[in-house]
Amino acid sequence: MINKILCSGKSTLLETLKVINGNGKGIVFVVNNAKQVQGVLTDGDIRRLLLKGLSLKEKIIKYVNKNFVYALSDQSQEEIISKFNEKIKIIPVVDKTFKFIDYFELKHGIHLPLAQQDLSQKEFEYLTEAFLSTWISSTGKYIELFENKFSDYCECKYGVSTSNGTTALHLALMALGIGQGDEVIVPDLTFAATINAVFYVGATPVIVDVEADSWGIDPVEIERAITPRTKAIIPVHLYGQPCDMDAIMTIAKRNKLFVIEDCAEAHGAMYDRKKVGSFGDIGCFSFFANKIITTGEGGMCTTNSYELNDKMRVLRDHGMNKSKRYWHDVVGYNYRLTNLQAAIGVAQVERIDEILKKREEVEDIYRKTLLDIKFLEFQPNDLAKRKKITWLVCILINGYDRDDYVQILKQKGLDVRPMFYSLSEMPLYKKYSFSNKNSLNLSRRGICLPTHCKMMEIKKEWFSV
């Protein structure tokens, strides 16, 4: 990490931004060939220079802050700490010739954010290329490249990028012709976007319970809730755990129902060695900042149907006729992703397996470290046919007040979150509930733990009470 925080004065603003992006510290120490510190430069300094009109090709040496705080290598820790304030959190440590030795970063207590993006590889390179191409809106080479790479990864023929995961769900429902008078079965334990998209098309949601072990929608409850008005099922692969897709697809086929998979939290998860998002008529993904891979905001619909792919593209692009510009055959929407976002997405999907592996390693560390804390129960990861991925590490609290425990952990600097509320528990959705026993039980005991690739350590005492 030490070399990743250093930058030559001969570097350009673009090269310096890449170094800052890679070290995650928001700063570089600028050195000469003898590794003597000449100044510092922060990401904020570079933003201000760019706003003044400087080129990314400009050399940084003229713009470094030479009036910076530093520590000498022979100073005591108390002397070094005294140099910090609210603005200064990290300083270089140098010898008497100003040669860089190390850096000192002041951290008060523990602070683990719930999520943190890993954008340390080609994300900035591709983003810069898209920016310099001037194709920064919804046209550009990275749009198609991202759609193709991600749909290939999901083992689907087509991918239709969208502005976010919620618009992906709405687009899927619209493309399948679901609307007024139709019923759509959704799980009780999910983020509200799942049910809200059903309202967007004027359909009626039917909320059913989840399985106690997998936390995913219960096929038995799906079957019980079907009526002559039922048109679709939206299984949610919750917290990276695949639903029982064999049973769901059997029910859907027997009752001639559409299946829209909500895969917002499950990129790369598998059921019976097949990727989620490839079972139903349409799979819907989110690339929000806290997801497995991100474009900041963004989404994708995956499908193996040429007709649905074509229909979703028209609806996504204002309902405009593809061969007759500015001629609109249907009422459509502006649900497009930008080339800038897609550029980040391409870099992310190119290393999605690496990201998933790192997140799995974080979960493994949690499981080993917290093994002896008996009131903690982890989300199952060994269910038959299901290959869970790690989005957020989730636990259930047994015999201890969940909300009290959340507050204890937050006071220790851990950004933990309660699990999603059951939809049926909220007055807005309560009247649409069909069944909810397991969902209520899980929701009231569940906690999501900080989970991201940059986590360096997890200590048992952080979670002890």
Side-chain angles (χ1 to χ4, degrees), residues 257-327:
L257 303 177
F258 295 118
V259 174
I260 300 170
E261 295 177 71
D262 186 335
C263 312
E265 305 162 9
H267 313 54
M270 303 179 80
Y271 182 88
D272 200 16
R273 300 183 181 181
K274 185 178 177 182
K275 296 278 181 63
V276 299
S278 64
F279 289 88
D281 298 276
I282 300 171
C284 298
F285 292 82
S286 169
F287 305 120
F288 182 62
N290 67 6
K291 295 302 188 291
I292 299 295
I293 63 171
T294 184
T295 56
E297 282 280 9
M300 186 86 72
C301 291
T302 55
T303 185
N304 286 308
S305 165
Y306 173 83
E307 291 76 15
L308 288 175
N309 170 65
D310 191 63
K311 194 169 185 180
M312 285 191 290
R313 290 184 182 280
V314 171
L315 288 168
R316 179 193 63 178
D317 299 338
H318 296 285
M320 191 185 303
N321 188 298
K322 291 196 298 183
S323 57
K324 192 175 181 181
R325 194 166 181 80
Y326 304 129
W327 184 271

